[in-house]
Amino acid sequence: MMSSDHSRRTMIKGIGIATAAGVLGTATAQAATAVPAEGEIWSNEYWAKKGDIPLWMFRKRIGAPKPGEPARPVVFFVHGSSVTARVFDLTVPGKGEYSLLNTFARYGFDCWTMDHENYGKSGRTSGNADIASGVEDLKAAVEVIAHETGQRRYHFVGESSGALRAGAFAMAAPERIDRLVFAAFTYKGEGSPTLAKRAEQLAYYRSHNMRKRDRDMIRSIATRDRPGTSDPAVVEVLADVEMQFGDQIPTGTYLDMTANLPVVHPEKVLAPVLLVRGEYDGIAAVPDIEEFFNKLPNGDRQFVILPGTAHSVALATNRELFWHVTRAFLTMPTPIVT
């Protein structure tokens, strides 16, 4: 369900490649500004390498890149536990825009995403694709972005365990981070009915690296908290797209979220942070997020609750509220007084 022009394919190895190192070493400190754009959306796919593991990446922006043009701010969308990067680029006929990549490309951003190890088009291994593995995926991905854009810092928008991946990466590589948006984030998991229910399967997650993910499981993402907050037709399209990759999905992030929280420590997240929670989210309890928010060291931080939404803000009927607060946060003017 993704529209793309795969005229060019790029394979770049993981950390420390010469071309990326050269870009990072010589790039000027030019601030990239998001300016609303009109025109055709250009897209391309890329491949990063994490050791021997190929990792699929996808990019959208208005117009193909041109030498010498002003830099556009890069925003990287990080997917969660039970879906691939397609969740950020759905085409749903007759239902309006459901592609975050399209939306933020029109806002003037250079939009990127990826399939993590054992998801979607990326390589399959015997691992469980936990949060730590996701951090290594992102380390490989930013080398591709550096090579392609000449930029060294990027915005990250993560949903659910994608927010945990983005947060853990921000701790590991703070020099790569511009601004962070954590949607459906969980800190310690306290007060979460969904995680309490999920923990009943903890022994299974410890002993199995993959779990069943059928159409009903995908539908439950939009119905388990508050039916009616997402359009069932949209979720069916998501299921159609996701099931092409099979009915198995890694257990690693489920294990982390039920047994190993916290995996993101607020005092180690130095960048500006926007925390976004759906009003009816069964994973991200308000006191849990408030505790995280209050411990963040950067004064440039916000916590927003979106009315009439549940866990998946990207697929919510009220998704434009998410677009609005995210765009506003990513385009905040630089403070004059600090």
Side-chain angles (χ1 to χ4, degrees):
M1 303 303 296
M2 300 168 63
S3 61
S4 58
D5 170 17
H6 297 162
S7 59
R8 207 163 50 95
R9 298 171 185 241
T10 303
M11 175 75 81
I12 298 181
K13 294 222 172 189
I15 309 304
I17 61 171
T19 51
V23 169
L24 292 176
T26 62
T28 61
Q30 178 185 15
T33 302
V35 177
E38 295 182 356
E40 294 295 321
I41 292 178
W42 174 89
S43 63
N44 198 20
E45 66 178 3
Y46 303 80
W47 291 91
K49 288 292 288 292
K50 182 176 68 172
D52 294 330
I53 305 168
L55 300 171
W56 182 82
M57 298 177 64
F58 190 67
R59 178 189 190 186
K60 277 190 169 183
R61 45 170 279 163
I62 297 296
K66 297 178 182 178
E69 69 179 356
R72 299 183 194 178
V74 171
V75 57
F76 194 107
F77 294 92
V78 190
H79 72 73
S81 299
S82 300
V83 293
T84 68
R86 284 46 181 197
V87 72
F88 299 125
D89 196 29
L90 284 187
T91 299
V92 188
K95 296 294 183 178
E97 183 63 85
Y98 270 90
S99 169
L100 277 169
L101 300 187
N102 287 349
T103 298
F104 279 79
R106 294 188 186 105
Y107 289 159
F109 291 92
D110 192 343
C111 302
W112 293 74
T113 189
M114 76 182 307
D115 286 338
H116 287 279
E117 176 186 332
N118 286 333
Y119 286 86
K121 292 184 178 180
S122 287
R124 296 298 190 266
T125 72
S126 60
N128 70 353
D130 59 7
I131 300 299
S133 171
V135 170
E136 296 306 309
D137 294 342
L138 292 173
K139 287 180 181 179
V142 296
E143 296 299 334
V144 177
I145 301 174
H147 178 265
E148 294 296 318
T149 70
Q151 298 188 63
R152 64 176 70 222
R153 301 170 74 92
Y154 322 109
H155 304 308
F156 285 82
V157 177
E159 187 175 50
S160 193
S161 65
L164 296 179
R165 289 182 174 111
F169 177 72
M171 293 192 302
E175 73 282 358
R176 295 291 206 173
I177 307 299
D178 195 340
R179 301 176 80 82
L180 298 164
V181 178
F182 297 159
F185 177 82
T186 186
Y187 176 33
K188 296 179 179 177
E190 296 171 351
S192 168
T194 300
L195 292 184
K197 180 68 175 176
R198 195 175 291 173
E200 297 173 3
Q201 302 296 318
L202 183 56
Y204 183 89
Y205 305 145
R206 291 189 189 279
S207 57
H208 295 77
N209 284 347
M210 302 294 286
R211 59 182 169 88
K212 186 82 168 180
R213 180 203 63 163
D214 56 16
R215 295 187 71 92
D216 284 340
M217 188 275 145
I218 294 172
R219 291 179 183 125
S220 75
I221 298 171
T223 61
R224 68 188 179 214
D225 298 328
R226 185 80 167 193
T229 53
S230 293
D231 188 328
V234 174
V235 182
E236 289 302 318
V237 170
L238 176 64
D240 290 341
V241 173
E242 291 291 334
M243 293 311 295
Q244 68 179 305
F245 300 112
D247 64 355
Q248 299 288 317
I249 210 79
T251 58
T253 56
Y254 269 31
L255 177 60
D256 280 336
M257 294 174 78
T258 53
N260 299 323
L261 292 177
V263 295
V264 181
H265 302 283
E267 63 277 5
K268 296 181 181 179
V269 179
L270 307 180
V273 174
L274 167 64
L275 292 160
V276 181
R277 179 190 187 271
E279 179 183 5
Y280 302 112
D281 192 351
I283 285 187
V286 171
D288 187 56
I289 302 175
E290 286 178 333
E291 182 180 355
F292 183 88
F293 176 84
N294 289 332
K295 292 179 178 179
L296 289 167
N298 195 320
D300 188 352
R301 62 187 190 270
Q302 299 178 27
F303 175 23
V304 175
I305 296 178
L306 302 181
T309 62
H311 182 63
S312 180
V313 296
L315 297 180
T317 301
N318 289 338
R319 64 200 178 281
E320 291 189 32
L321 300 177
F322 178 54
W323 302 351
H324 176 85
V325 298
T326 299
R327 180 188 187 185
F329 184 73
L330 297 185
T331 57
M332 286 277 286
T334 302
I336 298 173
V337 178
T338 59

